[in-house]
Amino acid sequence: MPNVKVVDMTGKEVGEINLNDAVFGAEVNGVLLHTVVRAYLANQRQGTQSTLTRSEVSGGGKKPWRQKGTGRARQGSTRSPQWTHGGIALGPKPRCYRVTLNKKIKRAALCSALSDKVANGKLIVVDAITANEYKTKTMVSMLNSIGAEKKSLVVLPEVDAKVIKSLSNIPGVKSAQATAINVYDILNADTFVVTKAAAEKIGEVYA
């Protein structure tokens, strides 16, 4: 069972926590992580791109010149793909990029991503993250004190408007709730910062 030290918002060690072995001590499966991240990114695509075909471009109703005798190539419309302002041949049309994965795969990948952070020492457990006011400076000071200066994912046990709003102005920092984390955000962050209560909740929910 992974044993990680717990620090306060000033970076001072205040105790230890035994993390759930099934969630934070699982085997890291690179193929599974790749599959889930690709599915996540594909599902972010809107698929609304659209080009006009020759039938959708305005104009081109009249044959440009007669079929034979001009010495030029035969043309039926000025809106064919080879003409300037013509339609697009085989261009993109609206489509759905959605990829569906079953719950077992997504849960296994999440445990794999969390275990990777623990194995590489990129998981920081904070006793509690609180804010008395909407102040970005407080959160910047906290992240610097605990050693999370780069891209970080801060996970809270529940919604805390003051903390979330204070974190939102910091470049590269993202916040989430314990029950709404995803593999992409975990892997994309250099440091995974989680409160003690959130770590316990993650262990309960995803075990």
Side-chain angles (χ1 to χ4, degrees):
M1 184 173 287
N3 196 321
V4 179
K5 68 178 182 179
V6 179
V7 298
D8 60 15
M9 291 181 65
T10 64
K12 180 182 178 182
E13 186 174 344
V14 294
E16 292 184 342
I17 182 174
N18 290 321
L19 301 174
N20 192 311
D21 194 49
V23 178
F24 294 95
E27 182 181 350
V28 179
N29 188 328
V31 174
L32 197 61
L33 292 174
H34 180 259
T35 300
V36 174
V37 168
R38 283 197 64 180
Y40 175 85
L41 293 175
N43 293 343
Q44 304 307 301
R45 298 184 68 173
Q46 290 184 311
T48 55
Q49 72 278 35
S50 182
T51 54
L52 299 179
T53 63
R54 59 181 294 174
S55 65
E56 296 169 321
V57 179
S58 63
K62 181 184 176 183
K63 188 174 175 65
W65 50 76
R66 60 195 175 96
Q67 181 82 345
K68 304 176 76 67
T70 65
R72 289 182 289 185
R74 54 195 174 190
Q75 300 291 332
S77 170
T78 57
R79 291 299 177 261
S80 295
Q82 73 271 21
W83 285 72
T84 303
H85 306 303
I88 302 298
L90 306 176
K93 283 292 183 182
R95 56 166 288 197
C96 178
Y97 291 92
R98 186 152 193 85
V99 178
T100 303
L101 300 174
N102 63 50
K103 188 184 292 185
K104 184 178 180 180
I105 288 177
K106 290 189 285 188
R107 181 161 293 186
L110 187 68
C111 294
S112 188
L114 291 169
S115 300
D116 178 67
K117 290 298 180 188
V118 175
N120 291 304
K122 299 298 183 180
L123 184 141
I124 300 174
V125 181
V126 183
D127 186 34
I129 299 177
T130 57
N132 297 323
E133 55 183 337
Y134 295 96
K135 198 76 173 177
T136 301
K137 188 176 181 180
T138 304
M139 293 297 111
V140 171
S141 176
M142 183 268 293
L143 292 172
N144 290 335
S145 298
I146 64 176
E149 297 89 354
K150 297 182 181 179
K151 286 197 298 184
S152 302
L153 175 64
V154 181
V155 181
L156 307 171
E158 55 192 17
V159 175
D160 188 327
K162 290 181 179 178
V163 173
I164 293 172
K165 192 70 175 178
S166 299
L167 288 167
S168 65
N169 286 331
I170 308 173
V173 175
K174 190 172 183 179
S175 62
Q177 280 69 58
T179 55
I181 54 178
N182 64 74
V183 174
Y184 177 79
D185 285 341
I186 295 171
L187 296 179
N188 190 45
D190 294 316
T191 309
F192 185 79
V193 181
V194 60
T195 65
K196 185 177 180 180
E200 293 171 348
K201 183 175 284 190
I202 291 171
E204 293 173 6
V205 172
Y206 298 106

